[in-house]
Amino acid sequence: IRDELGDLLVQVVFQARIAEEAGNFAFADIAQSITAKMIRRHPHIFGDAAERSADEQRQAWEDMKARERAAKKQTGVLDDVATTLPPMTRAVKLQKRAARLLFDWTDPKPVMDKVLEELDEVNAELTADTINPEHLQGEIGDLLFAGINLARKSNIDPDEALAQTNRKFTRRFQYLEATAAAQQTTLDDTDLDTMEQWWQSAKHDDNSSSP
């Protein structure tokens, strides 16, 4: 951790030095900026504001963020959600930001209905007489966005859920490779029906070993 924090610090110092040479700001200005932001965003901790409930703090936070966006000439609630974030992370942040203004479902059930609706729309694109790649991409994107929303409403981290599935897929695929090797063959020389049978065996072994 110490070494990694050092790597992070050298980047901050490096960028600060570049900015200082350009006459923009120095390292001390960075420290002053974050100090001012912490005080501004948490007056109930660092200032004289009264102690707040969770709902009061959430509303105060939204009010403060709105003022900051206005100062930056950003008028939309979603304007400061970074476009450089990984798409899944940004989707969660966009959904959470909208949810703060009550643009959200109350429970996972209607989100599941939305997932099924989006799946039907993907199917319609795939079964059309002529497949439009741009339309198909848009519908699959909608399906993924709805799936991420379902995870969020179910209190599941979609990144961790996908990471878990990646590990599961890897484990089961390696079972296929090991099974082929035990039979002195390779997956290249194994037909799809046989691989599907082995895959079902891998799933069964997975489920049997699950707590």
PDB file of all heavy atoms in Angstrom, residues 3 18 23 43 47 49 66-67 91 103 107 110 113-114 120 124 130 137 166 169 179-180 183 188 190 194 209:
ATOM      1  N   ASP A   3       3.882   1.616  -1.187  1.00  0.00           N
ATOM      2  CA  ASP A   3       4.487   1.797  -2.503  1.00  0.00           C
ATOM      3  C   ASP A   3       3.475   2.317  -3.525  1.00  0.00           C
ATOM      4  O   ASP A   3       3.790   3.193  -4.336  1.00  0.00           O
ATOM      5  CB  ASP A   3       5.087   0.477  -2.998  1.00  0.00           C
ATOM      6  CG  ASP A   3       6.350   0.106  -2.234  1.00  0.00           C
ATOM      7  OD1 ASP A   3       6.877   0.973  -1.512  1.00  0.00           O
ATOM      8  OD2 ASP A   3       6.793  -1.046  -2.376  1.00  0.00           O
ATOM      9  N   ILE A  18       3.920  20.464 -13.570  1.00  0.00           N
ATOM     10  CA  ILE A  18       3.620  20.890 -14.931  1.00  0.00           C
ATOM     11  C   ILE A  18       2.720  22.123 -14.902  1.00  0.00           C
ATOM     12  O   ILE A  18       2.943  23.106 -15.619  1.00  0.00           O
ATOM     13  CB  ILE A  18       2.943  19.754 -15.718  1.00  0.00           C
ATOM     14  CG1 ILE A  18       3.935  18.613 -15.972  1.00  0.00           C
ATOM     15  CG2 ILE A  18       2.377  20.264 -17.049  1.00  0.00           C
ATOM     16  CD1 ILE A  18       3.310  17.393 -16.622  1.00  0.00           C
ATOM     17  N   GLY A  23       2.099  28.225 -15.054  1.00  0.00           N
ATOM     18  CA  GLY A  23       1.516  29.377 -14.380  1.00  0.00           C
ATOM     19  C   GLY A  23       0.061  29.201 -13.979  1.00  0.00           C
ATOM     20  O   GLY A  23      -0.664  30.184 -13.787  1.00  0.00           O
ATOM     21  N   PRO A  43     -20.347  20.672   6.191  1.00  0.00           N
ATOM     22  CA  PRO A  43     -20.403  21.712   7.227  1.00  0.00           C
ATOM     23  C   PRO A  43     -20.875  21.193   8.578  1.00  0.00           C
ATOM     24  O   PRO A  43     -20.580  21.795   9.607  1.00  0.00           O
ATOM     25  CB  PRO A  43     -21.390  22.729   6.632  1.00  0.00           C
ATOM     26  CG  PRO A  43     -22.242  21.916   5.699  1.00  0.00           C
ATOM     27  CD  PRO A  43     -21.324  20.894   5.120  1.00  0.00           C
ATOM     28  N   GLY A  47     -17.944  22.515  10.135  1.00  0.00           N
ATOM     29  CA  GLY A  47     -18.460  23.866  10.349  1.00  0.00           C
ATOM     30  C   GLY A  47     -19.430  23.927  11.505  1.00  0.00           C
ATOM     31  O   GLY A  47     -19.396  23.101  12.422  1.00  0.00           O
ATOM     32  N   ALA A  49     -22.845  23.875  11.125  1.00  0.00           N
ATOM     33  CA  ALA A  49     -24.164  23.336  10.804  1.00  0.00           C
ATOM     34  C   ALA A  49     -24.581  22.284  11.816  1.00  0.00           C
ATOM     35  O   ALA A  49     -23.748  21.563  12.385  1.00  0.00           O
ATOM     36  CB  ALA A  49     -24.157  22.731   9.404  1.00  0.00           C
ATOM     37  N   ALA A  66     -25.649  20.841  -6.810  1.00  0.00           N
ATOM     38  CA  ALA A  66     -26.331  21.684  -7.794  1.00  0.00           C
ATOM     39  C   ALA A  66     -25.655  23.043  -7.876  1.00  0.00           C
ATOM     40  O   ALA A  66     -25.480  23.603  -8.969  1.00  0.00           O
ATOM     41  CB  ALA A  66     -27.803  21.831  -7.426  1.00  0.00           C
ATOM     42  N   ARG A  67     -25.261  23.602  -6.729  1.00  0.00           N
ATOM     43  CA  ARG A  67     -24.574  24.893  -6.727  1.00  0.00           C
ATOM     44  C   ARG A  67     -23.216  24.780  -7.411  1.00  0.00           C
ATOM     45  O   ARG A  67     -22.798  25.675  -8.152  1.00  0.00           O
ATOM     46  CB  ARG A  67     -24.418  25.407  -5.290  1.00  0.00           C
ATOM     47  CG  ARG A  67     -25.732  25.836  -4.645  1.00  0.00           C
ATOM     48  CD  ARG A  67     -25.484  26.613  -3.369  1.00  0.00           C
ATOM     49  NE  ARG A  67     -24.826  25.811  -2.344  1.00  0.00           N
ATOM     50  CZ  ARG A  67     -25.489  25.061  -1.450  1.00  0.00           C
ATOM     51  NH1 ARG A  67     -26.821  25.006  -1.479  1.00  0.00           N
ATOM     52  NH2 ARG A  67     -24.825  24.377  -0.542  1.00  0.00           N
ATOM     53  N   ALA A  91     -22.730   3.664 -15.745  1.00  0.00           N
ATOM     54  CA  ALA A  91     -24.158   3.334 -15.746  1.00  0.00           C
ATOM     55  C   ALA A  91     -24.711   3.348 -14.322  1.00  0.00           C
ATOM     56  O   ALA A  91     -25.792   3.898 -14.073  1.00  0.00           O
ATOM     57  CB  ALA A  91     -24.378   1.966 -16.383  1.00  0.00           C
ATOM     58  N   PHE A 103     -36.220   9.493  -9.625  1.00  0.00           N
ATOM     59  CA  PHE A 103     -36.460   8.895 -10.932  1.00  0.00           C
ATOM     60  C   PHE A 103     -35.937   7.469 -10.872  1.00  0.00           C
ATOM     61  O   PHE A 103     -34.828   7.164 -11.308  1.00  0.00           O
ATOM     62  CB  PHE A 103     -35.757   9.697 -12.036  1.00  0.00           C
ATOM     63  CG  PHE A 103     -36.098   9.251 -13.428  1.00  0.00           C
ATOM     64  CD1 PHE A 103     -37.330   9.563 -13.983  1.00  0.00           C
ATOM     65  CD2 PHE A 103     -35.195   8.514 -14.180  1.00  0.00           C
ATOM     66  CE1 PHE A 103     -37.660   9.150 -15.275  1.00  0.00           C
ATOM     67  CE2 PHE A 103     -35.509   8.095 -15.474  1.00  0.00           C
ATOM     68  CZ  PHE A 103     -36.750   8.411 -16.016  1.00  0.00           C
ATOM     69  N   ASP A 107     -38.696  -1.098  -6.312  1.00  0.00           N
ATOM     70  CA  ASP A 107     -38.193  -2.433  -5.980  1.00  0.00           C
ATOM     71  C   ASP A 107     -37.751  -3.133  -7.269  1.00  0.00           C
ATOM     72  O   ASP A 107     -38.004  -2.629  -8.371  1.00  0.00           O
ATOM     73  CB  ASP A 107     -39.268  -3.258  -5.253  1.00  0.00           C
ATOM     74  CG  ASP A 107     -40.508  -3.458  -6.100  1.00  0.00           C
ATOM     75  OD1 ASP A 107     -40.461  -4.293  -7.021  1.00  0.00           O
ATOM     76  OD2 ASP A 107     -41.525  -2.771  -5.850  1.00  0.00           O
ATOM     77  N   PRO A 110     -40.368  -4.383 -11.068  1.00  0.00           N
ATOM     78  CA  PRO A 110     -40.554  -3.688 -12.355  1.00  0.00           C
ATOM     79  C   PRO A 110     -39.274  -3.581 -13.174  1.00  0.00           C
ATOM     80  O   PRO A 110     -39.332  -3.481 -14.406  1.00  0.00           O
ATOM     81  CB  PRO A 110     -41.073  -2.303 -11.935  1.00  0.00           C
ATOM     82  CG  PRO A 110     -40.684  -2.143 -10.520  1.00  0.00           C
ATOM     83  CD  PRO A 110     -40.685  -3.505  -9.932  1.00  0.00           C
ATOM     84  N   ASP A 113     -39.143  -6.682 -15.122  1.00  0.00           N
ATOM     85  CA  ASP A 113     -40.049  -6.559 -16.269  1.00  0.00           C
ATOM     86  C   ASP A 113     -39.377  -5.771 -17.392  1.00  0.00           C
ATOM     87  O   ASP A 113     -39.544  -6.089 -18.577  1.00  0.00           O
ATOM     88  CB  ASP A 113     -41.345  -5.862 -15.843  1.00  0.00           C
ATOM     89  CG  ASP A 113     -42.165  -6.697 -14.863  1.00  0.00           C
ATOM     90  OD1 ASP A 113     -41.980  -7.932 -14.846  1.00  0.00           O
ATOM     91  OD2 ASP A 113     -42.972  -6.117 -14.109  1.00  0.00           O
ATOM     92  N   LYS A 114     -38.617  -4.749 -17.018  1.00  0.00           N
ATOM     93  CA  LYS A 114     -37.910  -3.941 -18.003  1.00  0.00           C
ATOM     94  C   LYS A 114     -36.832  -4.759 -18.711  1.00  0.00           C
ATOM     95  O   LYS A 114     -36.641  -4.641 -19.929  1.00  0.00           O
ATOM     96  CB  LYS A 114     -37.283  -2.718 -17.330  1.00  0.00           C
ATOM     97  CG  LYS A 114     -36.607  -1.754 -18.284  1.00  0.00           C
ATOM     98  CD  LYS A 114     -37.607  -1.125 -19.246  1.00  0.00           C
ATOM     99  CE  LYS A 114     -36.931  -0.075 -20.121  1.00  0.00           C
ATOM    100  NZ  LYS A 114     -37.867   0.470 -21.140  1.00  0.00           N
ATOM    101  N   ASP A 120     -36.923  -8.787 -25.258  1.00  0.00           N
ATOM    102  CA  ASP A 120     -37.832  -8.963 -26.398  1.00  0.00           C
ATOM    103  C   ASP A 120     -37.429  -8.064 -27.558  1.00  0.00           C
ATOM    104  O   ASP A 120     -37.519  -8.463 -28.727  1.00  0.00           O
ATOM    105  CB  ASP A 120     -39.271  -8.646 -25.976  1.00  0.00           C
ATOM    106  CG  ASP A 120     -39.880  -9.744 -25.116  1.00  0.00           C
ATOM    107  OD1 ASP A 120     -39.353 -10.876 -25.145  1.00  0.00           O
ATOM    108  OD2 ASP A 120     -40.872  -9.463 -24.406  1.00  0.00           O
ATOM    109  N   ALA A 124     -36.385  -9.091 -31.293  1.00  0.00           N
ATOM    110  CA  ALA A 124     -37.030  -8.555 -32.491  1.00  0.00           C
ATOM    111  C   ALA A 124     -35.990  -8.108 -33.520  1.00  0.00           C
ATOM    112  O   ALA A 124     -36.176  -8.309 -34.725  1.00  0.00           O
ATOM    113  CB  ALA A 124     -37.936  -7.386 -32.108  1.00  0.00           C
ATOM    114  N   THR A 130     -33.978  -8.129 -42.051  1.00  0.00           N
ATOM    115  CA  THR A 130     -32.645  -7.566 -42.242  1.00  0.00           C
ATOM    116  C   THR A 130     -32.148  -7.023 -40.919  1.00  0.00           C
ATOM    117  O   THR A 130     -32.817  -6.177 -40.307  1.00  0.00           O
ATOM    118  CB  THR A 130     -32.654  -6.421 -43.286  1.00  0.00           C
ATOM    119  OG1 THR A 130     -33.166  -6.930 -44.526  1.00  0.00           O
ATOM    120  CG2 THR A 130     -31.253  -5.864 -43.491  1.00  0.00           C
ATOM    121  N   GLN A 137     -27.089  -3.002 -31.730  1.00  0.00           N
ATOM    122  CA  GLN A 137     -26.166  -2.532 -30.692  1.00  0.00           C
ATOM    123  C   GLN A 137     -26.902  -1.686 -29.659  1.00  0.00           C
ATOM    124  O   GLN A 137     -26.684  -1.820 -28.449  1.00  0.00           O
ATOM    125  CB  GLN A 137     -25.045  -1.712 -31.319  1.00  0.00           C
ATOM    126  CG  GLN A 137     -24.088  -1.097 -30.292  1.00  0.00           C
ATOM    127  CD  GLN A 137     -22.927  -0.380 -30.947  1.00  0.00           C
ATOM    128  OE1 GLN A 137     -22.058  -1.024 -31.527  1.00  0.00           O
ATOM    129  NE2 GLN A 137     -22.914   0.940 -30.875  1.00  0.00           N
ATOM    130  N   ASN A 166     -17.341 -14.472 -14.331  1.00  0.00           N
ATOM    131  CA  ASN A 166     -16.111 -14.705 -15.105  1.00  0.00           C
ATOM    132  C   ASN A 166     -15.290 -15.835 -14.484  1.00  0.00           C
ATOM    133  O   ASN A 166     -14.750 -16.699 -15.196  1.00  0.00           O
ATOM    134  CB  ASN A 166     -15.273 -13.433 -15.164  1.00  0.00           C
ATOM    135  CG  ASN A 166     -15.867 -12.381 -16.087  1.00  0.00           C
ATOM    136  OD1 ASN A 166     -16.699 -12.693 -16.925  1.00  0.00           O
ATOM    137  ND2 ASN A 166     -15.437 -11.146 -15.919  1.00  0.00           N
ATOM    138  N   PHE A 169     -17.121 -19.119 -15.148  1.00  0.00           N
ATOM    139  CA  PHE A 169     -16.947 -19.557 -16.536  1.00  0.00           C
ATOM    140  C   PHE A 169     -15.556 -20.129 -16.746  1.00  0.00           C
ATOM    141  O   PHE A 169     -15.387 -21.177 -17.390  1.00  0.00           O
ATOM    142  CB  PHE A 169     -17.182 -18.384 -17.491  1.00  0.00           C
ATOM    143  CG  PHE A 169     -17.027 -18.749 -18.940  1.00  0.00           C
ATOM    144  CD1 PHE A 169     -18.090 -19.274 -19.656  1.00  0.00           C
ATOM    145  CD2 PHE A 169     -15.801 -18.592 -19.586  1.00  0.00           C
ATOM    146  CE1 PHE A 169     -17.942 -19.631 -21.000  1.00  0.00           C
ATOM    147  CE2 PHE A 169     -15.645 -18.946 -20.919  1.00  0.00           C
ATOM    148  CZ  PHE A 169     -16.716 -19.470 -21.628  1.00  0.00           C
ATOM    149  N   THR A 179     -11.081 -32.481 -18.877  1.00  0.00           N
ATOM    150  CA  THR A 179     -11.798 -33.687 -19.298  1.00  0.00           C
ATOM    151  C   THR A 179     -11.294 -34.178 -20.654  1.00  0.00           C
ATOM    152  O   THR A 179     -11.084 -35.381 -20.868  1.00  0.00           O
ATOM    153  CB  THR A 179     -13.313 -33.422 -19.361  1.00  0.00           C
ATOM    154  OG1 THR A 179     -13.767 -32.964 -18.086  1.00  0.00           O
ATOM    155  CG2 THR A 179     -14.068 -34.684 -19.743  1.00  0.00           C
ATOM    156  N   ALA A 180     -11.085 -33.226 -21.559  1.00  0.00           N
ATOM    157  CA  ALA A 180     -10.555 -33.599 -22.878  1.00  0.00           C
ATOM    158  C   ALA A 180      -9.166 -34.201 -22.754  1.00  0.00           C
ATOM    159  O   ALA A 180      -8.854 -35.230 -23.376  1.00  0.00           O
ATOM    160  CB  ALA A 180     -10.518 -32.362 -23.784  1.00  0.00           C
ATOM    161  N   GLN A 183      -9.087 -37.696 -21.654  1.00  0.00           N
ATOM    162  CA  GLN A 183      -9.465 -38.631 -22.711  1.00  0.00           C
ATOM    163  C   GLN A 183      -8.493 -38.588 -23.888  1.00  0.00           C
ATOM    164  O   GLN A 183      -8.802 -39.053 -24.986  1.00  0.00           O
ATOM    165  CB  GLN A 183     -10.892 -38.327 -23.174  1.00  0.00           C
ATOM    166  CG  GLN A 183     -11.921 -38.497 -22.060  1.00  0.00           C
ATOM    167  CD  GLN A 183     -13.362 -38.387 -22.550  1.00  0.00           C
ATOM    168  OE1 GLN A 183     -13.626 -38.499 -23.745  1.00  0.00           O
ATOM    169  NE2 GLN A 183     -14.285 -38.177 -21.626  1.00  0.00           N
ATOM    170  N   ASP A 188     -10.313 -28.787 -29.519  1.00  0.00           N
ATOM    171  CA  ASP A 188     -10.346 -28.575 -30.973  1.00  0.00           C
ATOM    172  C   ASP A 188     -10.904 -29.798 -31.698  1.00  0.00           C
ATOM    173  O   ASP A 188     -11.514 -29.676 -32.767  1.00  0.00           O
ATOM    174  CB  ASP A 188      -8.936 -28.274 -31.501  1.00  0.00           C
ATOM    175  CG  ASP A 188      -8.468 -26.882 -31.105  1.00  0.00           C
ATOM    176  OD1 ASP A 188      -9.334 -26.004 -30.885  1.00  0.00           O
ATOM    177  OD2 ASP A 188      -7.247 -26.667 -31.022  1.00  0.00           O
ATOM    178  N   THR A 190     -13.070 -31.948 -30.315  1.00  0.00           N
ATOM    179  CA  THR A 190     -14.281 -32.398 -29.617  1.00  0.00           C
ATOM    180  C   THR A 190     -15.493 -31.682 -30.201  1.00  0.00           C
ATOM    181  O   THR A 190     -15.474 -30.465 -30.398  1.00  0.00           O
ATOM    182  CB  THR A 190     -14.185 -32.088 -28.118  1.00  0.00           C
ATOM    183  OG1 THR A 190     -13.000 -32.687 -27.588  1.00  0.00           O
ATOM    184  CG2 THR A 190     -15.390 -32.634 -27.367  1.00  0.00           C
ATOM    185  N   THR A 194     -20.671 -32.966 -27.306  1.00  0.00           N
ATOM    186  CA  THR A 194     -19.858 -33.559 -26.237  1.00  0.00           C
ATOM    187  C   THR A 194     -19.420 -32.489 -25.246  1.00  0.00           C
ATOM    188  O   THR A 194     -19.470 -32.691 -24.030  1.00  0.00           O
ATOM    189  CB  THR A 194     -18.626 -34.266 -26.820  1.00  0.00           C
ATOM    190  OG1 THR A 194     -19.049 -35.280 -27.725  1.00  0.00           O
ATOM    191  CG2 THR A 194     -17.779 -34.886 -25.712  1.00  0.00           C
ATOM    192  N   SER A 209     -20.546 -28.427  -5.005  1.00  0.00           N
ATOM    193  CA  SER A 209     -19.516 -27.943  -4.092  1.00  0.00           C
ATOM    194  C   SER A 209     -19.863 -26.598  -3.498  1.00  0.00           C
ATOM    195  O   SER A 209     -19.156 -26.083  -2.621  1.00  0.00           O
ATOM    196  CB  SER A 209     -18.179 -27.822  -4.832  1.00  0.00           C
ATOM    197  OG  SER A 209     -18.283 -26.907  -5.901  1.00  0.00           O
TER     198      SER A 209
END
